[in-house]
Amino acid sequence: MQLLHDVTDQQREAIIHFEGPLLIVAGAGSGKTRVITRRIGYLMSQGVSPYNILAITFTNKAAHEMGERVKQFSSHKGLWVSTFHKMCARILRQTIDRLGYSRDFSIYDSADQLSRIKAIMAEYKMDTAQWKPKTIIAAISNAKNKLISTEQFAASASGYFNEHVAKIYRRYQHLLRTDDALDFDDLLIKTIELFKAHADILQMYQERFKFILVDEYQDTNYAQYTITRLLADRYRNLCVTGDPDQSIYGWRGADIRNIMDFEKDYPDARVVLLEQNYRSTKHILHAASSIIKRNKYRKQKDIWTENMQGEKIRVVACENEYAEADEIVKLIRACKNKHIKYSDIAIFYRTNAQSRVLEKALRNHAVPYTLVGGLAFYQRKEIKDLLSYLRLYVNSNDEVALERVVNTPARGIGDMTVFKLREWAATQGKNLLYAIRNVDQIPEIKGKTALAIKRFAEIIAHLHTLPNSPVEEILKQAIDKTNYMTFLKESGEGERDAKDRIANVEEMVNAAHEYDMNYSEGSAQGFLEEVALVSDVDEMKDVADGVTLMTLHTAKGLEFPIVFITGMEERLLPHVESNDSEEKVEEERRLCYVGITRAMKELFITYARRRTRYGETTFSTPSRFLGEIPREILETIDKTDRRDCSSSFFAKDDDFGEPVFSVDTEQDVFVPVQAKPKATVASFANGEIVRHPVFGIGRILEVYGSNEKASVKVNFSTGGVKSLLLAYAKLEKA
């Protein structure tokens, strides 16, 4: 059977398992995707209808690739291969009216969410410099992922910060309901509400999806876990794949316990370990294994490979981040001279901010590159403008879209006019669009302004007269009726910028055309859904020959022949915000493991002796993770200005209480030495203003813990909310 050709005994065991729960613990590069797709093919070969199979991945790109692979084995008509969010959106489009929503609801992306939160904060007169909107969004998202309602959150809120979040959360959800909109988290929550409130709907989908496969199960949050349990509860034919060692999204709600406790949830589950790596060299795997085995909370497995030993891991110590970037470019150009393609090379970093210096160095040396996770195509201003017109065509209650385009292109409807419209609408118990359509009834708005509002209302009314497809035609009508191209040409942003934006608009029309061609029964609603659920990885373009730049988080699931991991320093990797928790340090170690295991043939690790943070240059120490790699597989290259030590790993304590490195002569590895904790400073109180040597001025939100673990949560004006151990924080009252 072709399905079982060229597979290992372990892969075969996972493929042919038929009924009952199955856990596949798949190490990095172990052929997991091959096993999943062949398992789907095997189920269909045993008489299971594709209509009864659901496969869930974490990116649209992965879903598409899986669907294409399944095609090789048999007809897959009726098979659902989807992300969690796309699956939930699809279910809700069919049944959300049972919860009192319209099936034409809007999906708010992160930019829309930010816009709403900022508006609420302005309403409550909250300073966005003191209260970071993204921090508040993260707190709300965390609550939603744990299925904590606004009422539950308010009831349990303690502390200055959480009390304000509770108020914003309640108002935010009210506005979403008014706008007939859902954010990404709501797609999951409303699906759960639907299943729990309407047993007939749940039963319908349980009967349909008799066999369920969930990829990257270690990355599921509580809401996704709940949806999976509900759907699988009837037939229990649940197959999950994943690797606890690659659980790196705890900061956005992913719960490693979902995969760690699978056997508790399903005591009769079969467990299959995929430990053979087909991707990396022996040296790369040895480095990765040496690091990850330091974690206590994991499932024991030993990844191995039949691949060659390969090059040693080259560790480059640089004087500062600029020297680091220049050295990376030199090494990349040396690779190019060996006839290695630029597209075979990737540069990973812990934070997006690190990319600026790297990009500059690449540009200065004419090295082509593509940045993953920068300003995505669908987040560009001109694209968001046109999408907003399309959203209003589908859902006239979408006030975020309405506010975006009411004066775009400029038509003389300023903020004060919008304020008057909103005030009048409130007196009528109506929304903003109602006020726009009835502007003649508002005495405060007259003359040219009233005429401009009427013309805008006519544009929206015209769009509503158009048929639901093709989407390309709706977009062209929006561009034509608003004179949007003329607006771009006359924007005053320079000829080059204007041409780039016009090209983006043209590409947007091309995207709509492509959608119309691919979906004969498609709609504007469907197109918007496709766009809303696009991820950074989904937007990756294959470039002819360019180096790829991305964060370590974005790199998961990818592979490259040559990988650079930059900024391998304490406070970066592991990140400074992980230092107050061993659990967080373990996640940072998993992140490091993920980065290393992306490399196929060669791995470079770089760090800087000095780095500028928040405008201040400070000394750095090499990451503790470097100290966990056996010395014999490392080739160290010292490019610093120091001449006072024999090894680039001998770092001086920078007085932040962080690890420095020494040599353990018995193990011949670099090991971290913890500095003794400083004495705990005097007690602090909620609301106090404090000063930190790196993050500057901030206000204390919460004081917790005792003795060596005494900690504070501080909202800094430049660094956002940080949790700090008082023993190490060097915090003082301002």
Side-chain angles (χ1 to χ4, degrees), residues 494-551:
E495 185 179 351
R496 183 174 178 179
D497 285 344
K499 284 182 177 178
D500 286 346
R501 294 178 69 187
I502 288 169
N504 287 337
V505 170
E506 291 171 346
E507 183 58 29
M508 174 71 171
V509 175
N510 291 340
H513 175 79
E514 185 177 315
Y515 174 85
D516 291 330
M517 293 297 99
N518 291 336
Y519 299 93
S520 57
E521 298 181 2
S523 64
Q525 183 191 80
F527 178 73
L528 287 170
E529 197 166 290
E530 290 278 324
V531 168
L533 300 177
V534 165
S535 70
D536 289 343
V537 174
D538 294 329
E539 286 210 276
M540 277 185 64
K541 303 288 186 187
D542 292 328
V543 294
D545 195 17
V547 176
T548 301
L549 276 71
M550 65 177 70
T551 65

Coordinates of all heavy atoms in Angstrom, one line a residue, residues 494-551:
G494 N 4.8 61.8 -1.7 CA 5.9 61.6 -2.7 C 5.5 60.6 -3.8 O 4.6 59.7 -3.6
E495 N 6.1 60.8 -4.9 CA 5.7 60.0 -6.1 C 5.9 58.5 -5.9 O 5.1 57.7 -6.2 CB 6.5 60.5 -7.3 CG 6.0 59.8 -8.6 CD 6.8 60.3 -9.8 OE1 7.5 61.3 -9.7 OE2 6.7 59.7 -10.9
R496 N 7.1 58.2 -5.3 CA 7.4 56.8 -5.1 C 6.4 56.1 -4.1 O 5.9 55.0 -4.4 CB 8.8 56.7 -4.5 CG 9.2 55.2 -4.4 CD 10.7 55.1 -4.0 NE 11.1 53.7 -3.8 CZ 12.3 53.3 -3.5 NH1 13.3 54.3 -3.3 NH2 12.6 52.0 -3.3
D497 N 6.1 56.8 -3.0 CA 5.2 56.2 -2.0 C 3.8 56.0 -2.6 O 3.1 55.0 -2.4 CB 5.1 57.1 -0.8 CG 6.3 57.0 0.1 OD1 7.0 56.0 0.0 OD2 6.5 57.8 1.0
A498 N 3.4 57.1 -3.4 CA 2.1 57.0 -4.1 C 2.0 55.8 -5.0 O 1.0 55.1 -5.1 CB 1.8 58.3 -4.8
K499 N 3.1 55.6 -5.8 CA 3.1 54.5 -6.7 C 3.0 53.2 -6.0 O 2.4 52.2 -6.5 CB 4.4 54.6 -7.6 CG 4.3 55.6 -8.7 CD 5.6 55.6 -9.5 CE 5.4 56.7 -10.7 NZ 6.7 56.7 -11.5
D500 N 3.8 53.1 -4.9 CA 3.7 51.8 -4.1 C 2.3 51.5 -3.6 O 1.9 50.4 -3.6 CB 4.7 51.9 -2.9 CG 6.2 51.8 -3.4 OD1 6.4 51.4 -4.5 OD2 7.1 52.2 -2.6
R501 N 1.7 52.6 -3.1 CA 0.3 52.4 -2.6 C -0.7 52.0 -3.7 O -1.6 51.2 -3.4 CB -0.1 53.6 -1.8 CG 0.7 53.9 -0.5 CD 0.3 55.2 0.2 NE -1.0 55.0 0.8 CZ -1.6 56.0 1.3 NH1 -1.1 57.2 1.4 NH2 -2.8 55.8 1.9
I502 N -0.5 52.7 -4.8 CA -1.4 52.3 -6.0 C -1.2 50.9 -6.4 O -2.1 50.1 -6.7 CB -1.1 53.3 -7.1 CG1 -1.7 54.7 -6.8 CG2 -1.8 52.8 -8.4 CD1 -1.3 55.8 -7.8
A503 N 0.1 50.4 -6.4 CA 0.4 49.1 -6.7 C -0.2 48.1 -5.7 O -0.7 47.0 -6.1 CB 1.9 48.9 -6.7
N504 N -0.2 48.5 -4.4 CA -0.9 47.7 -3.4 C -2.4 47.5 -3.6 O -2.9 46.4 -3.5 CB -0.6 48.3 -2.0 CG 0.8 48.1 -1.6 OD1 1.5 47.2 -2.0 ND2 1.2 48.9 -0.6
V505 N -3.0 48.6 -4.0 CA -4.4 48.6 -4.3 C -4.7 47.7 -5.5 O -5.7 46.9 -5.5 CB -5.0 50.0 -4.6 CG1 -6.4 49.9 -5.2 CG2 -5.0 50.8 -3.3
E506 N -3.9 47.8 -6.5 CA -4.0 46.9 -7.7 C -3.9 45.4 -7.3 O -4.6 44.6 -7.8 CB -3.0 47.3 -8.8 CG -3.3 48.7 -9.4 CD -2.2 49.2 -10.3 OE1 -1.1 48.6 -10.3 OE2 -2.5 50.1 -11.1
E507 N -2.9 45.2 -6.4 CA -2.7 43.8 -6.0 C -3.9 43.3 -5.1 O -4.2 42.1 -5.2 CB -1.4 43.7 -5.1 CG -1.0 42.3 -4.6 CD -0.9 41.3 -5.7 OE1 -0.5 41.7 -6.8 OE2 -1.1 40.1 -5.5
M508 N -4.5 44.2 -4.4 CA -5.7 43.9 -3.7 C -6.8 43.4 -4.6 O -7.5 42.5 -4.4 CB -6.2 45.1 -2.9 CG -7.5 45.0 -2.1 SD -7.4 43.9 -0.8 CE -9.0 44.2 0.0
V509 N -7.0 44.2 -5.7 CA -8.0 43.8 -6.7 C -7.6 42.4 -7.3 O -8.5 41.6 -7.5 CB -8.1 44.9 -7.8 CG1 -9.0 44.4 -8.9 CG2 -8.6 46.2 -7.2
N510 N -6.3 42.2 -7.5 CA -5.9 40.9 -8.0 C -6.3 39.8 -7.1 O -6.7 38.7 -7.5 CB -4.4 40.9 -8.3 CG -4.0 41.8 -9.4 OD1 -4.8 42.1 -10.3 ND2 -2.7 42.1 -9.4
A511 N -6.1 40.0 -5.7 CA -6.4 39.1 -4.7 C -7.9 38.7 -4.8 O -8.3 37.6 -4.6 CB -6.0 39.6 -3.3
A512 N -8.8 39.7 -5.0 CA -10.2 39.5 -5.1 C -10.5 38.7 -6.3 O -11.4 37.8 -6.3 CB -10.9 40.9 -5.1
H513 N -9.9 39.0 -7.4 CA -10.1 38.3 -8.7 C -9.7 36.8 -8.5 O -10.4 35.9 -8.9 CB -9.2 38.9 -9.8 CG -9.2 38.1 -11.1 ND1 -10.3 38.2 -12.0 CD2 -8.4 37.2 -11.6 CE1 -10.1 37.4 -13.0 NE2 -8.9 36.8 -12.8
E514 N -8.6 36.6 -7.8 CA -8.1 35.2 -7.5 C -9.1 34.4 -6.7 O -9.4 33.3 -6.9 CB -6.8 35.2 -6.8 CG -6.1 33.9 -6.6 CD -4.7 34.0 -6.0 OE1 -3.9 34.9 -6.4 OE2 -4.5 33.3 -5.1
Y515 N -9.7 35.2 -5.7 CA -10.7 34.5 -4.8 C -11.9 34.2 -5.6 O -12.5 33.1 -5.5 CB -11.1 35.5 -3.7 CG -12.2 35.0 -2.8 CD1 -12.0 34.2 -1.8 CD2 -13.5 35.5 -3.1 CE1 -13.1 33.7 -1.0 CE2 -14.6 35.0 -2.3 CZ -14.4 34.2 -1.3 OH -15.4 33.7 -0.5
D516 N -12.4 35.1 -6.5 CA -13.5 34.8 -7.3 C -13.3 33.6 -8.2 O -14.2 32.8 -8.4 CB -13.9 36.0 -8.2 CG -14.4 37.2 -7.4 OD1 -15.0 37.0 -6.3 OD2 -14.1 38.4 -7.8
M517 N -12.1 33.4 -8.7 CA -11.8 32.3 -9.6 C -11.8 31.0 -8.8 O -12.2 29.9 -9.3 CB -10.4 32.5 -10.3 CG -10.3 33.7 -11.3 SD -11.4 33.4 -12.7 CE -12.9 34.4 -12.3
N518 N -11.3 31.0 -7.6 CA -11.1 29.8 -6.8 C -12.4 29.4 -6.1 O -12.6 28.2 -5.8 CB -10.0 30.0 -5.7 CG -8.6 30.1 -6.4 OD1 -8.4 29.6 -7.5 ND2 -7.7 30.7 -5.7
Y519 N -13.3 30.3 -5.9 CA -14.5 30.0 -5.1 C -15.7 30.4 -6.0 O -16.1 31.6 -5.9 CB -14.6 30.7 -3.8 CG -13.4 30.3 -2.8 CD1 -12.3 31.0 -2.8 CD2 -13.6 29.1 -2.0 CE1 -11.2 30.6 -2.0 CE2 -12.5 28.8 -1.2 CZ -11.4 29.5 -1.2 OH -10.3 29.1 -0.3
S520 N -16.3 29.5 -6.7 CA -17.4 29.8 -7.6 C -18.6 30.3 -6.8 O -19.4 31.1 -7.3 CB -17.8 28.6 -8.4 OG -18.1 27.5 -7.6
E521 N -18.8 29.9 -5.6 CA -19.9 30.3 -4.7 C -19.4 31.3 -3.6 O -20.0 31.4 -2.6 CB -20.6 29.1 -4.1 CG -21.2 28.2 -5.2 CD -21.9 27.0 -4.6 OE1 -22.0 26.9 -3.3 OE2 -22.5 26.2 -5.3
G522 N -18.3 31.9 -3.9 CA -17.7 32.9 -2.9 C -18.5 34.1 -2.8 O -19.5 34.4 -3.5
S523 N -18.2 34.9 -1.7 CA -18.9 36.1 -1.4 C -18.0 37.1 -0.8 O -16.9 36.8 -0.4 CB -20.1 35.9 -0.5 OG -19.6 35.4 0.8
A524 N -18.4 38.4 -0.7 CA -17.6 39.4 0.0 C -17.4 39.0 1.4 O -16.3 39.2 2.0 CB -18.4 40.7 -0.1
Q525 N -18.4 38.4 2.0 CA -18.2 37.9 3.4 C -17.1 36.8 3.5 O -16.3 36.9 4.4 CB -19.6 37.3 3.9 CG -19.6 36.8 5.3 CD -20.9 36.0 5.5 OE1 -21.0 34.9 5.1 NE2 -21.9 36.7 6.1
G526 N -17.1 35.9 2.5 CA -16.1 34.9 2.5 C -14.7 35.4 2.3 O -13.7 35.0 2.9
F527 N -14.6 36.4 1.4 CA -13.3 37.0 1.1 C -12.8 37.7 2.4 O -11.6 37.6 2.7 CB -13.5 38.0 0.0 CG -12.2 38.7 -0.4 CD1 -11.1 38.1 -1.0 CD2 -12.0 40.1 0.0 CE1 -10.0 38.8 -1.3 CE2 -10.9 40.8 -0.3 CZ -9.8 40.1 -1.0
L528 N -13.6 38.5 3.0 CA -13.2 39.1 4.3 C -12.8 38.1 5.3 O -11.8 38.4 6.1 CB -14.4 40.0 4.8 CG -14.7 41.3 4.0 CD1 -16.0 41.9 4.5 CD2 -13.5 42.3 4.2
E529 N -13.4 37.0 5.4 CA -13.1 36.0 6.4 C -11.7 35.4 6.1 O -10.9 35.2 7.0 CB -14.1 34.9 6.4 CG -14.1 34.0 7.6 CD -15.4 33.2 7.6 OE1 -16.4 33.7 7.9 OE2 -15.3 31.9 7.4
E530 N -11.4 35.2 4.8 CA -10.1 34.7 4.4 C -9.0 35.7 4.8 O -8.0 35.3 5.3 CB -10.1 34.5 2.8 CG -10.9 33.4 2.3 CD -10.2 32.0 2.4 OE1 -9.0 32.0 2.2 OE2 -10.9 31.0 2.7
V531 N -9.3 36.9 4.5 CA -8.3 38.0 4.8 C -8.1 38.1 6.3 O -6.9 38.2 6.8 CB -8.8 39.3 4.2 CG1 -7.9 40.5 4.8 CG2 -8.7 39.3 2.7
A532 N -9.2 38.1 7.1 CA -9.1 38.3 8.5 C -8.3 37.3 9.2 O -7.6 37.5 10.3 CB -10.5 38.4 9.1
L533 N -8.3 36.1 8.7 CA -7.7 34.9 9.4 C -6.3 34.6 8.8 O -5.8 33.5 9.1 CB -8.6 33.7 9.3 CG -10.0 33.9 10.0 CD1 -10.9 32.7 9.8 CD2 -9.8 34.2 11.5
V534 N -5.7 35.5 8.1 CA -4.4 35.3 7.5 C -3.3 35.6 8.6 O -3.5 36.5 9.4 CB -4.1 36.3 6.4 CG1 -2.6 36.4 6.0 CG2 -4.9 35.8 5.1
S535 N -2.3 34.7 8.8 CA -1.3 34.9 9.7 C 0.0 35.3 9.0 O 0.1 35.4 7.8 CB -1.0 33.6 10.5 OG -0.4 32.6 9.6
D536 N 1.0 35.7 9.9 CA 2.3 36.1 9.3 C 2.9 35.0 8.4 O 3.5 35.3 7.3 CB 3.3 36.4 10.5 CG 3.0 37.6 11.2 OD1 2.2 38.5 10.7 OD2 3.5 37.8 12.4
V537 N 2.9 33.8 8.9 CA 3.5 32.7 8.1 C 2.7 32.5 6.8 O 3.2 32.2 5.7 CB 3.5 31.4 8.9 CG1 3.9 30.2 8.0 CG2 4.4 31.5 10.1
D538 N 1.3 32.7 6.8 CA 0.5 32.6 5.6 C 0.9 33.6 4.6 O 0.8 33.3 3.4 CB -1.0 32.8 5.9 CG -1.5 31.7 6.8 OD1 -1.1 30.5 6.7 OD2 -2.4 32.0 7.6
E539 N 1.4 34.7 5.0 CA 1.8 35.8 4.1 C 3.2 35.7 3.6 O 3.7 36.5 2.8 CB 1.6 37.2 4.7 CG 0.1 37.5 4.8 CD -0.2 39.0 4.8 OE1 0.0 39.7 5.8 OE2 -0.5 39.5 3.7
M540 N 4.0 34.7 4.0 CA 5.3 34.5 3.5 C 5.3 34.3 2.0 O 4.6 33.5 1.5 CB 6.0 33.3 4.2 CG 6.6 33.6 5.6 SD 7.5 32.2 6.2 CE 8.8 32.0 5.1
K541 N 6.1 35.0 1.3 CA 6.2 34.9 -0.1 C 7.6 34.2 -0.4 O 8.6 34.4 0.2 CB 6.2 36.2 -0.8 CG 4.9 37.0 -0.5 CD 3.7 36.5 -1.2 CE 2.5 37.4 -1.0 NZ 1.3 36.8 -1.5
D542 N 7.5 33.3 -1.4 CA 8.8 32.7 -1.9 C 9.5 33.8 -2.7 O 9.0 34.2 -3.7 CB 8.5 31.5 -2.8 CG 7.9 30.3 -1.9 OD1 8.3 30.2 -0.7 OD2 7.1 29.6 -2.5
V543 N 10.7 34.2 -2.2 CA 11.4 35.2 -3.0 C 12.5 34.4 -3.8 O 13.0 33.4 -3.5 CB 12.1 36.2 -2.1 CG1 11.1 37.0 -1.4 CG2 13.0 35.5 -1.0
A544 N 12.9 35.1 -4.9 CA 13.8 34.4 -5.9 C 15.1 34.1 -5.1 O 15.6 32.9 -5.3 CB 14.1 35.4 -7.0
D545 N 15.7 35.0 -4.4 CA 16.9 34.7 -3.7 C 17.1 35.7 -2.6 O 17.9 36.7 -2.8 CB 18.1 34.6 -4.6 CG 19.3 33.9 -4.0 OD1 19.1 33.3 -2.9 OD2 20.4 34.1 -4.5
G546 N 16.5 35.5 -1.5 CA 16.6 36.5 -0.4 C 16.7 35.8 1.0 O 16.1 34.8 1.2
V547 N 17.5 36.4 1.9 CA 17.6 36.0 3.3 C 16.2 36.2 4.0 O 15.6 37.2 3.8 CB 18.7 36.7 4.0 CG1 18.8 36.2 5.5 CG2 20.1 36.4 3.3
T548 N 15.8 35.3 4.8 CA 14.6 35.4 5.6 C 14.9 35.9 7.0 O 15.7 35.3 7.7 CB 13.8 34.1 5.6 OG1 13.5 33.7 4.3 CG2 12.5 34.3 6.4
L549 N 14.1 36.9 7.4 CA 14.3 37.5 8.8 C 12.9 37.2 9.5 O 11.9 37.6 9.0 CB 14.6 39.0 8.8 CG 16.0 39.4 8.6 CD1 16.5 39.1 7.2 CD2 16.2 40.9 9.0
M550 N 13.0 36.7 10.7 CA 11.8 36.5 11.5 C 12.1 36.3 13.0 O 13.2 36.0 13.3 CB 11.0 35.3 10.9 CG 11.7 34.0 11.1 SD 10.6 32.6 10.5 CE 10.6 32.9 8.7
T551 N 11.1 36.4 13.8 CA 11.2 36.1 15.2 C 11.3 34.6 15.4 O 10.9 33.8 14.6 CB 10.1 36.6 16.1 OG1 8.9 35.9 15.7 CG2 9.9 38.1 15.9

